[in-house]
Amino acid sequence: MTTSADVTKTGTKPIVAAVDGATDNSSAVDWAANEAARSGLPLRVVTVTETAVMQTPPYVLEPIEFDHAAHLRSVLDGTASNLRRTHADVQIDTGVRVDDPVLGLVAEAQDATMLVVGKRGLGAVKRLTVGSTSIALAGRSPAPTVVVPDTWTAADNDGESILVGLDINQESDELLGFAFARAAELGVPLVVMHVWDTHPAVVPSDADVKRWGDEARAAVEAAIAPWREKFPDVQALAAQRHAHHAQGLLDAGDHAQLVVLGRHTVGHSPLGLPLRSTTRKVLHYCERPVAVVPTAVDS
């Protein structure tokens, strides 16, 4: 029988949590620390700065040099010290990179089991939008990337199910392996859902909707059957929904502790995820942690 450790542990590759030094990443860092404690993996807390030394303030005649990298190292030292008090059994180290934020974190993810980043809210709306750095990382990271809303607390959502958005027409082994492993480790139900929609010009009958829904559920059942055998203790539900792809997943994820999506693109884009992709839209508006799992070989 496969255990969660067989899928989630890759040698001693750490879980990497990104801190930007300007905003409160406590939810993302806490999520990563809890995951490290649960999995037995080391935790690496990193930040990336594009400029190691800057002059401040810029308008004075004799500017004072400010070593930004040194300042960030002190910030990370404080973060690591706090984490060691609450997660004494976790091996924790820190790092500061002088690089482009996205390129630096993608480089960190090369040797990571998972990359965890915070979500940046913009505007006074119920569903907050995600920052451009997080979008780029989710679309380019070689490791699964988890985007955690700033207001997220694990204690308030402990025991809730995990939702997987499954495209039945795409490769899904990495996606389902990641999701089943986490569900087994946490002891929570797993809902694997395929959301399908029809062309606006098509007005399906009730019989059509039922038939296509039955076919979609059967396809999900077939996709998860091997994983049910590997993880017999996971309560896995095959589900389908007739709705706009992103909206269907957002509605279904309202009561999930984690939404797991795949990234089915090949190659890298400077913007990370395509503007119209379902994964990008869910990341923008989901109020729950979202894990984006690469499921295609990037070239």
Side-chain angles (χ1 to χ4, degrees), residues 166 168 192-194 196 209-224 228 237-241:
L166 179 68
I168 59 177
V192 183
M193 175 175 288
H194 174 67
W196 57 279
V209 171
K210 183 181 184 307
R211 183 177 75 257
W212 294 336
D214 290 343
E215 292 172 354
R217 182 178 285 105
V220 176
E221 290 278 7
I224 67 176
R228 280 178 167 156
L237 172 67
Q240 60 82 31
R241 180 170 292 196

Side-chain angles (χ1 to χ4, degrees), residues 5-66:
D6 296 328
V7 177
T8 59
K9 289 188 179 180
T10 308
T12 56
K13 288 185 177 182
I15 294 169
V16 174
V19 177
D20 65 14
T23 57
D24 184 4
N25 289 69
S26 59
S27 293
V29 173
D30 288 347
W31 195 100
N34 289 335
E35 180 67 16
R38 188 162 38 243
S39 63
L41 291 169
L43 174 64
R44 177 167 169 79
V45 184
V46 302
T47 191
V48 181
T49 177
E50 292 186 90
T51 307
V53 179
M54 65 180 67
Q55 293 182 329
T56 184
Y59 51 80
V60 299
L61 295 177
E62 296 181 0
I64 301 171
E65 288 190 346
F66 176 69

Side-chain angles (χ1 to χ4, degrees), residues 4-274:
S4 61
D6 296 328
V7 177
T8 59
K9 289 188 179 180
T10 308
T12 56
K13 288 185 177 182
I15 294 169
V16 174
V19 177
D20 65 14
T23 57
D24 184 4
N25 289 69
S26 59
S27 293
V29 173
D30 288 347
W31 195 100
N34 289 335
E35 180 67 16
R38 188 162 38 243
S39 63
L41 291 169
L43 174 64
R44 177 167 169 79
V45 184
V46 302
T47 191
V48 181
T49 177
E50 292 186 90
T51 307
V53 179
M54 65 180 67
Q55 293 182 329
T56 184
Y59 51 80
V60 299
L61 295 177
E62 296 181 0
I64 301 171
E65 288 190 346
F66 176 69
D67 190 335
H68 196 226
H71 167 69
L72 290 174
R73 288 188 188 96
S74 69
V75 171
L76 290 185
D77 286 344
T79 299
S81 179
N82 291 334
L83 287 172
R84 290 186 182 104
R85 284 195 291 269
T86 57
H87 297 79
D89 295 333
V90 176
Q91 177 187 336
I92 301 171
D93 79 322
T94 63
V96 175
R97 278 181 175 263
V98 179
D99 201 345
D100 171 83
V102 173
L103 295 179
L105 290 173
V106 167
E108 288 282 344
Q110 294 286 347
D111 296 313
T113 295
M114 185 186 304
L115 176 65
V116 184
V117 298
K119 181 174 181 176
R120 303 288 169 262
L122 300 175
V125 295
K126 181 179 178 182
R127 294 195 186 274
L128 302 179
T129 58
V130 72
S132 59
T133 298
S134 299
I135 285 287
L137 289 169
R140 300 177 65 179
S141 169
T145 299
V146 181
V147 180
V148 183
D150 297 337
T151 57
W152 177 261
T153 56
D156 293 339
N157 301 276
D158 189 32
E160 291 183 333
S161 63
I162 293 172
L163 173 69
V164 182
L166 179 68
D167 184 342
I168 59 177
N169 299 309
Q170 297 285 350
E171 169 61 40
S172 61
D173 279 353
E174 295 92 341
L175 177 72
L176 292 175
F178 179 94
F180 268 85
R182 281 200 56 80
E185 192 169 281
L186 294 171
V188 298
L190 180 67
V191 179
V192 183
M193 175 175 288
H194 174 67
V195 180
W196 57 279
D197 201 1
T198 53
H199 191 278
V202 176
V203 182
S205 66
D206 291 344
D208 289 332
V209 171
K210 183 181 184 307
R211 183 177 75 257
W212 294 336
D214 290 343
E215 292 172 354
R217 182 178 285 105
V220 176
E221 290 278 7
I224 67 176
W227 294 99
R228 280 178 167 156
E229 294 181 3
K230 293 179 181 180
F231 294 90
D233 294 332
V234 173
Q235 179 185 347
L237 172 67
Q240 60 82 31
R241 180 170 292 196
H242 179 208
H244 182 276
H245 296 133
Q247 190 60 53
L249 290 170
L250 287 167
D251 291 342
D254 273 344
H255 300 289
Q257 66 170 283
L258 180 69
V259 177
V260 184
L261 303 175
R263 189 187 79 214
H264 304 303
T265 56
V266 176
H268 295 314
S269 164
L271 296 177
L273 295 166

